């Protein structure tokens, strides 16, 4: 299943010309429902195509405007899936699941993790959709899926920063010129939130309950800001505090990475399988960081290209791996080899990730949410701010800022406060590595609670942890939150 873009009238040429004009960002904190109505009064649910579809799962589509400020223009078709409530007589409404990524297909998640929603299906129709920033990318021209850079460089001055940003900006402009749909200009989380409201209208529901995970928490938060009166209940699992902006994200993210580093050091001290067992891991790491800061290391991969590695690259990819036990043995081996001059693991990680992150289509789904620092002066201030918080990992967020340095279109979904009134209390879920960030978000809504899983992992609802899913299912059904400080044991 995938999303497709198409014209709805003989005046497609005129509509296309209108859509290709960049619209100013819509600051609609008090927006009502979008000025749009589906041609159908309810979804045309049918048997889902393909093999291995879970029993009871039904599929449909919905057409929404590519540009919500031009509802009569080009449309994008989104795939929907539904598990109907097991007992229609006790049905409470619909739960809309909001997938992560950005770019994850909620319909595919349904197919892969159908068992995770068994409890919800007792009282709700559970609805999944594939956001416009998921399979919709397949309809963009090849230039939108072509990496702009073989490697993301850590600039040493403003000239290097601007030169790299110019290459990224040129790739985005080429993608826009080749895109006949205008979709690449409207893949932001605010547009996704408006699509969610269109789904609510099509379902005929007065309100929605939301279950959002990972990056899906950002469009879910945008929906709560736009349509607070339409939110019956909301669960966010392992997400980011986007309303707090990059400084808040850095403060919380770095404290989480440092905690993961402490667990990594303790694991190395107690497990002979760690390649650094018996060594002062912190000293080894800090020496590597300082050495690559002073003397960048050139790494070449025959398949991926060449990169000049600095301390930023070590912090980005070392920090990401330290929090998860599954990545610890490989990371320990990589650090041990790096201490001897072989930084190939870090180089390959940086080159491989640049392939995906610098595609204009991927930038279009993430950069309008302003998770990084804007401009060279913002980049420098953010770097200094982060390094004051953490010498070991400060600057790891520079990756996001650098990737989005070439995004010259309006920031559609800037960090903004959530409404104080109108929203119900929210339930947050999170593991050791992401409960703190999730907690920062839900604390912005009075009366909200975060349940922490005292172990590793990400997106605990899909992981099937019964304690975590039990709290979420009870809250969604009964609208009663667990006590503050509730912890689910590992």
């Amino acid at each position: 299943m995938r999303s497709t873009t198409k014209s709805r009238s003989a005046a497609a040429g005129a509509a296309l010309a209108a859509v290709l004009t960049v619209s100013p960002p819509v600051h609609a904190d008090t927006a009502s429902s979008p000025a749009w109505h589906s041609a159908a009064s309810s979804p045309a649910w049918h048997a889902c195509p393909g093999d291995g579809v879970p029993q009871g799962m039904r599929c449909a589509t919905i057409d929404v405007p590519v540009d919500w400020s031009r509802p009569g223009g080009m449309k994008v078709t989104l795939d929907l899936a539904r598990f109907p409530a097991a007992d229609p007589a006790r049905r409470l409404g619909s739960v809309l699941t909001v997938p992560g990524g950005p770019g994850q297909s909620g319909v595919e998640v349904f197919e892969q993790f159908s068992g995770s929603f068994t409890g919800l299906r007792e009282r709700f129709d559970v609805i999944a959709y594939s956001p416009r920033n998921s399979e919709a990318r397949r309809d963009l021209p090849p230039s939108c899926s072509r990496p702009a850079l073989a490697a993301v460089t850590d600039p040493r001055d403003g000239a290097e920063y601007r030169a790299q940003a110019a290459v990224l900006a040129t790739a985005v402009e080429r993608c826009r010129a080749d895109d006949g749909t205008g979709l690449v200009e409207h893949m932001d989380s605010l547009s996704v939130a408006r699509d969610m409201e269109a789904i609510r209208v099509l379902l005929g529901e007065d309100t929605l309950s939301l279950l959002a995970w990972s990056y899906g928490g950002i469009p879910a938060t945008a929906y709560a800001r736009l349509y607070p009166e339409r939110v019956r209940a909301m669960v966010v699992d392992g997400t980011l505090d986007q309303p707090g902006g990059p400084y808040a994200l850095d403060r919380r993210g770095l404290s989480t990475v440092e905690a993961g580093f402490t667990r990594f050091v303790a694991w190395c001290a107690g497990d002979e399988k760690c390649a650094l067992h018996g060594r002062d891991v912190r000293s080894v790491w800090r020496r590597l960081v300082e050495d690559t800061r002073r003397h960048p290391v050139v790494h070449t991969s025959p398949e991926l290209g060449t990169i000049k590695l600095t301390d930023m690259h070590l912090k980005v990819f070392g920090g990401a791996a330290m929090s998860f036990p599954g990545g610890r043995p490989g990371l320990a081996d990589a650090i041990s080899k790096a201490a001897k001059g072989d930084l190939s693991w870090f180089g390959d990680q940086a080159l491989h990730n640049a392939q995906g992150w610098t595609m204009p289509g991927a930038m279009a789904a993430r950069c309008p949410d302003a998770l990084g620092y804007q401009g060279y002066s913002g980049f420098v201030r953010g770097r200094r701010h982060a390094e004051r918080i953490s010498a070991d990992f400060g600057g790891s967020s520079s990756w996001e800022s650098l990737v989005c340095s070439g995004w010259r279109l309006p920031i559609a979904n800037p960090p903004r406060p959530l409404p104080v009134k109108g929203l119900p209390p929210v339930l947050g879920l999170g593991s050791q590595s992401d409960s703190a960030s999730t907690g920062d978000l839900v604390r912005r809504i009075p009366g909200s609670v975060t349940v922490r899983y005292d172990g590793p992992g990400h997106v605990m609802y899909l992981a099937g942890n019964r304690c975590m899913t039990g709290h979420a299912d009870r809250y969604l059904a009964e609208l009663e939150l667990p006590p503050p400080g509730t912890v689910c044991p590992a």
Side-chain angles (χ1 to χ4, degrees):
M1 302 177 188
R2 63 192 183 95
S3 303
T4 56
T5 50
K6 47 193 171 184
S7 171
R8 291 298 181 192
S9 70
L16 175 59
V19 169
L20 286 175
T21 303
V22 180
S23 304
V26 179
H27 297 292
D29 294 84
T30 58
S32 60
S33 297
W36 165 92
H37 296 283
S38 171
S41 58
S42 61
W45 298 109
H46 56 79
C48 299
D51 299 327
V53 175
Q55 184 176 4
M57 179 173 155
R58 306 288 286 175
C59 290
T61 59
I62 179 175
D63 295 333
V64 295
V66 168
D67 180 354
W68 273 106
S69 70
R70 297 180 174 89
M74 299 283 283
K75 302 294 189 292
V76 58
T77 298
L78 309 179
D79 292 318
L80 303 177
R82 178 183 69 161
F83 284 125
D87 185 354
R90 300 175 65 236
R91 179 183 177 277
L92 293 172
S94 294
V95 172
L96 179 64
T97 62
V98 190
Q104 187 179 50
S105 165
V107 175
E108 291 181 1
V109 169
F110 254 33
E111 294 175 348
Q112 297 171 17
F113 297 94
S114 59
S116 296
F117 305 101
T118 301
L120 277 184
R121 292 169 62 185
E122 293 180 7
R123 306 295 303 277
F124 295 95
D125 289 352
V126 186
I127 310 294
Y129 74 113
S130 294
R132 60 173 61 208
N133 56 25
S134 60
E135 287 98 334
R137 296 184 193 178
R138 299 180 187 175
D139 296 306
L140 296 175
S143 58
C144 296
S145 298
R146 191 177 300 132
L149 298 170
V152 177
T153 299
D154 184 7
R156 293 299 155 152
D157 54 37
E160 284 190 11
Y161 175 93
R162 288 186 288 272
Q164 180 165 258
V167 174
L168 290 162
T170 298
V172 172
E173 287 306 309
R174 184 180 300 113
C175 165
R176 287 181 64 204
D178 295 343
D179 174 26
T181 68
L183 182 60
V184 75
E185 300 171 15
H186 301 285
M187 290 171 62
D188 54 90
S189 291
L190 198 68
S191 295
V192 174
R194 294 184 179 277
D195 295 345
M196 293 162 59
E197 173 65 358
I199 292 171
R200 181 197 66 79
V201 172
L202 186 65
L203 293 172
E205 301 281 12
D206 290 334
T207 59
L208 283 176
S209 296
L210 303 177
L211 171 58
W213 55 82
S214 195
Y215 202 91
I218 296 179
T221 301
Y223 183 87
R225 184 188 297 115
L226 288 171
Y227 313 108
E229 76 283 359
R230 299 300 185 182
V231 179
R232 173 185 172 273
M234 185 164 77
V235 174
V236 288
D237 184 349
T239 193
L240 297 170
D241 179 27
Q242 188 264 354
Y247 285 97
L249 287 170
D250 252 350
R251 283 194 299 273
R252 178 58 68 191
L254 290 171
S255 66
T256 299
V257 172
E258 288 283 3
F261 189 25
T262 297
R263 290 190 292 270
F264 177 76
V265 170
W267 169 73
C268 275
D271 193 334
E272 294 182 357
K273 294 179 182 178
C274 175
L276 299 167
H277 182 69
R279 302 176 66 180
D280 185 339
V281 177
R282 289 186 184 275
S283 294
V284 172
W285 177 254
R286 289 172 179 173
R287 188 160 52 249
L288 274 175
V289 167
E290 181 62 19
D291 286 348
T292 51
R293 185 184 71 81
R294 293 177 178 273
H295 307 289
V297 176
V298 175
H299 168 74
T300 299
S301 163
E303 297 82 17
L304 300 173
T306 298
I307 186 171
K308 184 185 290 186
L309 288 168
T310 70
D311 59 316
M312 179 198 76
H313 299 100
L314 270 65
K315 292 171 179 178
V316 170
F317 301 105
M322 280 178 182
S323 298
F324 299 95
R328 290 175 185 170
L331 177 62
D333 183 62
I335 294 174
S336 179
K337 290 178 178 178
K340 300 172 184 176
D342 177 8
L343 279 76
S344 57
W345 183 88
F346 293 97
D348 288 347
Q349 289 287 318
L351 290 167
H352 176 74
N353 276 272
Q355 298 294 304
W357 281 66
T358 67
M359 293 180 185
M363 295 165 62
R366 194 172 178 100
C367 297
D369 289 326
L371 299 179
Y373 300 94
Q374 306 297 305
Y376 180 65
S377 59
F379 168 77
V380 172
R381 287 195 304 271
R383 185 86 166 246
R384 291 172 178 167
H385 163 75
E387 289 175 345
R388 284 194 296 269
I389 297 172
S390 170
D392 292 329
F393 296 99
S396 56
S397 61
S398 298
W399 178 268
E400 180 99 37
S401 302
L402 293 173
V403 167
C404 291
S405 63
W407 186 257
R408 307 288 171 78
L409 299 178
I411 299 300
N413 185 38
R416 285 169 289 163
L418 288 165
V420 176
K421 297 180 180 180
L423 276 179
V426 171
L427 176 63
L429 305 176
S431 66
Q432 288 174 333
S433 59
D434 50 32
S435 61
S437 178
T438 303
D440 285 350
L441 172 63
V442 303
R443 274 193 295 273
R444 297 181 182 278
I445 304 167
S448 300
V449 170
T450 296
V451 175
R452 180 171 61 87
Y453 173 67
D454 195 21
H458 182 55
V459 186
M460 303 315 300
Y461 195 94
L462 296 184
N465 180 273
R466 292 185 179 181
C467 177
M468 298 292 270
T469 57
H471 284 299
D473 291 351
R474 282 190 296 274
Y475 159 68
L476 289 170
E478 302 170 11
L479 300 181
E480 293 183 5
L481 290 165
T486 298
V487 176
C488 286

